């Protein structure tokens, strides 16, 4: 890794009267907040460092989806059967390199975690949104937010909606309500929060005797011009991703380049990951970004077909929007078009994928889009023939979204990178145990160091397998586990 790493501070450099804490948490987003809260409730003296002037981070900017299942109160109230086993099978199927122990724990504890989130002081609305959207438009508490009904996953696990949205209308800022509640609970638990104070280095105690084992025993910090140290039993890094660090993006996820709108806060600069790397943490999925430019709602656009510049389909159009986008990135010149006939076209109110034009014949459309003559006509003819029987032998689109596109004129939307407004963020981070312990490249736990949230590699591994709500759910869940584990074994 060529990115410059923070210098590690030897414990021997610390002054004799150095301030101490049981647990230091770096970052006051949802993962850090949950880690600090659980550690404090377990009896630890917790200091929470936040570089910004307030709490929230990127978590507070999100719409407020939590990916939860296994039979939550909302699932039961809306008549959707689900089990931890089916949730487990689904997440195993969509993961590039699944960690069964983590996924099993996440699924089996999902109902308890749902209850814990509500215990912060709110309730998810006991209602279901049946449409195809990026997020519920109003306050509906549940919707499908992944590829549960998409081939082949619907045949590998019984589909169930697991996208639980907080009762705030709109598609941004919903999670801020949860962060407000977490901030109150954190204060009640006695956590000492220090704003505008950033961790700059890890403090390590490396024994002289063999075998050498690096042990993280604190942090160096900076607040404006003031600097200092905090010695601690454990350090939990929850400092976000690296989408705002151009050098790290260029090295690891060049697809998140100048043509994309980045989703993140100012402090998603990879500091947490660099801190972990400075003591030998293994990094995973650093080359896997989440990239998306949804062409729906309106949901009936999903009945259309998505083709590349050769006029060929390459993905089931009912896929979750970042899965579709992931496959667009695999196409020549990252180019793709959504083709819809006059019976199904309905212009989005906020089109991220711009409308190109309409044509009376498919041949005219081919010529205008630069598609080889006859190719799109053949693709559309084949699709329509099967669609009249509600079949899609090529990509197995769900029958709910199969409609013939045979009523001219036809319209096309541009899904091409650089034309459509793609947005994205990073998914890679430190390798961790199920309890958030950071693991080295040699496969050993780095004693005293934990990671959670966007700087840790857990459930979310790539855009093609992503489900909305995964980041908030896994950040809060594994943050809680890290907080409890970090507080264990203390002499209270």
């Amino acid at each position: 890794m060529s990115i410059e790493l923070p210098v590690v501070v030897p414990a021997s450099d610390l002054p004799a009267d150095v301030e101490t804490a049981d647990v230091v948490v770096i970052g006051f987003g949802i993962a850090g907040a949950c880690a600090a809260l659980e550690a404090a409730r377990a009896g630890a003296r917790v200091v929470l460092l936040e570089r910004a002037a307030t709490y929230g981070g990127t978590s507070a900017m999100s719409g407020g989806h939590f990916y939860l299942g296994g039979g939550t109160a909302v699932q039961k109230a809306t008549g959707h059967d689900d089990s931890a086993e089916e949730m487990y099978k689904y997440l195993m199927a969509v993961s590039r390199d699944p960690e069964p122990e983590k996924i099993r724990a996440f699924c089996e504890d999902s109902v308890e975690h749902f209850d814990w989130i509500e215990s912060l002081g709110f309730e998810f609305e006991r209602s279901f949104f049946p449409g195809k959207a990026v997020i519920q438009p109003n306050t509906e508490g549940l919707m499908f937010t992944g590829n549960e009904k998409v081939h082949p996953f619907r045949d590998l696990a019984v589909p169930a909606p697991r996208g639980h949205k907080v009762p705030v209308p709109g598609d941004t800022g919903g999670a801020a309500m949860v962060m407000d509640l977490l901030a109150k609970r954190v204060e009640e638990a006695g956590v000492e929060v220090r704003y505008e104070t950033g961790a700059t280095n890890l403090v390590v105690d490396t024994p002289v005797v063999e075998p050498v084992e690096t042990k993280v025993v604190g942090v160096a910090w900076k607040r404006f011009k003031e600097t200092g140290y905090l010695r601690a039993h454990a350090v939990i890094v929850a400092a976000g991703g690296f989408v705002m660090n151009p050098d790290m993006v260029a090295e690891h996820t060049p697809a998140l380049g100048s043509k994309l709108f980045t989703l993140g806060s100012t402090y998603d600069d990879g500091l947490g990951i660099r801190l972990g790397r400075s003591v030998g943490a293994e990094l995973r999925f650093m080359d896997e970004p989440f990239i998306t430019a949804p062409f729906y709602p309106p949901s009936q656009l999903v009945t259309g077909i998505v083709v590349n510049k050769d006029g060929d389909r390459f993905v089931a159009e009912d896929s979750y929007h970042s899965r579709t986008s992931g496959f667009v990135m695999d196409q020549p010149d990252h180019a793709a078009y959504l083709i819809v006939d006059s019976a199904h076209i309905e212009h989005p109110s906020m089109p991220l994928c711009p409308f190109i034009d309409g044509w009376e014949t498919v041949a005219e459309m081919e010529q205008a889009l630069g598609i080889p003559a006859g190719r799109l006509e053949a693709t559309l003819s084949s699709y329509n023939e099967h669609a009249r029987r509600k079949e899609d032998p090529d990509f197995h689109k769900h029958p709910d979204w199969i409609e013939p596109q045979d009523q001219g004129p036809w319209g096309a939307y541009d899904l091409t990178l650089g034309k459509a407004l793609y947005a994205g963020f990073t998914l890679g981070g430190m390798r961790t145990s199920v309890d958030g312990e950071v693991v080295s490249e040699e496969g050993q736990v780095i004693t005293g160091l934990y990671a959670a949230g966007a700087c840790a590699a857990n459930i979310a591994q790539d855009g093609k397998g992503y489900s909305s709500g995964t980041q908030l759910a896994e950040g809060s869940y594994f943050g809680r586990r890290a907080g409890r584990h970090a507080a264990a074994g203390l002499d209270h």
Side-chain angles (χ1 to χ4, degrees):
M1 184 174 180
S2 60
I3 303 297
E4 187 175 348
L5 301 177
V7 175
V8 174
V9 178
S12 57
D13 286 3
L14 270 54
D17 61 348
V18 66
E19 183 185 9
T20 63
D22 293 328
V23 177
V24 172
V25 179
I26 302 171
F28 200 166
I30 198 162
C34 291
L37 180 56
E38 290 288 70
R41 285 177 173 177
R45 177 177 175 253
V46 183
V47 176
L48 176 51
L49 306 180
E50 171 53 55
R51 280 190 285 173
T54 188
Y55 56 83
T58 306
S59 300
M61 300 165 61
S62 71
H65 267 146
F66 287 80
Y67 193 82
L68 303 164
T72 67
V74 180
Q75 287 179 319
K76 289 181 176 179
T78 55
H80 293 95
D81 291 332
D82 194 18
S83 68
E85 183 61 28
E86 294 302 326
M87 184 181 179
Y88 171 81
K89 288 193 289 188
Y90 172 71
L91 288 175
M92 287 290 290
V94 295
S95 300
R96 280 186 62 203
D97 185 16
E99 298 181 81
E101 183 186 11
K102 280 185 183 176
I103 295 176
R104 178 70 69 186
F106 180 67
C107 296
E108 291 186 348
D109 293 343
S110 188
V111 172
E112 183 276 335
H113 189 53
F114 169 92
D115 295 339
W116 187 89
I117 292 169
E118 285 201 328
S119 76
L120 297 172
F122 79 100
E123 281 193 353
F124 292 97
E125 188 173 287
R126 271 53 172 168
S127 57
F128 176 67
F129 178 74
K132 194 88 169 168
V134 177
I135 195 165
Q136 296 92 312
N138 298 304
T139 54
E140 300 92 342
L142 186 67
M143 70 175 281
F144 279 94
T145 60
N147 294 290
E148 296 87 357
K149 295 171 77 173
V150 176
H151 176 83
F153 311 112
R154 64 175 180 257
D155 299 321
L156 301 173
V158 177
R162 303 189 182 103
H164 293 70
K165 185 195 176 189
V166 299
V168 176
D171 58 3
T172 58
M177 183 193 77
V178 180
M179 289 306 307
D180 290 343
L181 292 168
L182 271 168
K184 292 177 182 176
R185 303 293 92 82
V186 162
E187 182 182 3
E188 291 167 0
V191 174
E192 183 179 345
V193 181
R194 299 181 186 178
Y195 292 110
E196 298 178 307
T197 305
T200 57
N201 312 79
L202 293 177
V203 178
V204 301
D205 187 5
T206 304
V208 178
V209 296
E210 296 290 340
V212 173
E213 177 190 326
T214 297
K215 182 178 182 181
V216 174
V217 295
V219 300
W221 56 265
K222 183 176 182 180
R223 186 176 190 273
F224 302 115
K225 293 184 178 179
E226 185 184 3
T227 60
Y229 299 102
L230 261 170
R231 191 171 183 116
H233 169 74
V235 174
I236 303 175
V237 184
F242 63 93
V243 72
M244 295 303 189
N245 185 318
D247 291 337
M248 291 182 72
V249 166
E251 178 172 338
H252 298 289
T253 56
L256 285 173
S258 59
K259 293 182 179 180
L260 269 81
F261 176 78
T262 50
L263 299 173
S265 73
T266 305
Y267 299 108
D268 277 321
D269 62 358
L271 173 65
I273 292 170
R274 286 180 279 123
L275 285 170
R277 193 75 191 94
S278 74
V279 293
E282 180 184 342
L283 305 183
R284 305 191 76 209
F285 308 112
M286 292 293 285
D287 60 339
E288 289 295 340
F290 170 100
I291 296 175
T292 190
F295 60 76
Y296 59 79
S299 57
Q300 79 170 13
L301 290 179
V302 179
T303 64
I305 64 169
V306 174
V307 300
N308 59 21
K309 64 187 224 175
D310 294 324
D312 298 325
R313 291 175 71 213
F314 54 87
V315 67
E317 293 81 7
D318 61 331
S319 297
Y320 173 73
H321 49 88
S322 75
R323 181 174 177 81
T324 301
S325 298
F327 280 99
V328 171
M329 296 302 144
D330 295 339
Q331 303 309 304
D333 298 330
H334 311 305
Y337 308 100
L338 170 70
I339 311 299
V340 191
D341 74 355
S342 59
H344 298 92
I345 200 162
E346 184 180 341
H347 296 303
S349 58
M350 290 184 63
L352 299 180
C353 303
F355 181 68
I356 300 172
D357 206 345
W359 299 271
E360 291 295 329
T361 69
V362 178
E364 290 173 312
M365 180 164 53
E366 284 177 333
Q367 185 175 9
L369 297 177
I371 292 172
R375 290 286 289 273
L376 179 57
E377 199 150 9
T379 297
L380 201 51
S381 176
S382 174
Y383 177 81
N384 289 337
E385 180 185 347
H386 295 292
R388 294 182 189 104
R389 299 190 294 272
K390 288 286 186 181
E391 296 173 356
D392 177 20
D394 295 326
F395 293 94
H396 308 281
K397 185 194 291 195
H398 195 282
D400 288 354
W401 304 108
I402 297 177
E403 296 285 347
Q405 305 295 311
D406 56 5
Q407 304 297 311
W410 289 266
Y413 295 87
D414 203 337
L415 276 56
T416 303
L417 180 65
K419 300 292 183 63
L421 182 59
Y422 281 86
F425 52 84
T426 57
L427 293 173
M430 287 176 268
R431 178 186 171 192
T432 58
S433 73
V434 70
D435 287 312
E437 303 159 291
V438 175
V439 178
S440 72
E441 289 184 325
E442 292 74 36
Q444 303 299 313
V445 166
I446 300 173
T447 305
L449 185 63
Y450 296 78
C455 59
N458 283 309
I459 305 296
Q461 297 184 344
D462 71 348
K464 289 179 180 176
Y466 194 84
S467 301
S468 284
T470 304
Q471 292 283 61
L472 288 182
E474 73 161 52
S476 53
Y477 173 73
F478 288 106
R480 290 179 63 202
R481 290 191 75 114
R484 292 196 301 268
H485 198 273
L490 291 169
D491 296 325
H492 300 308

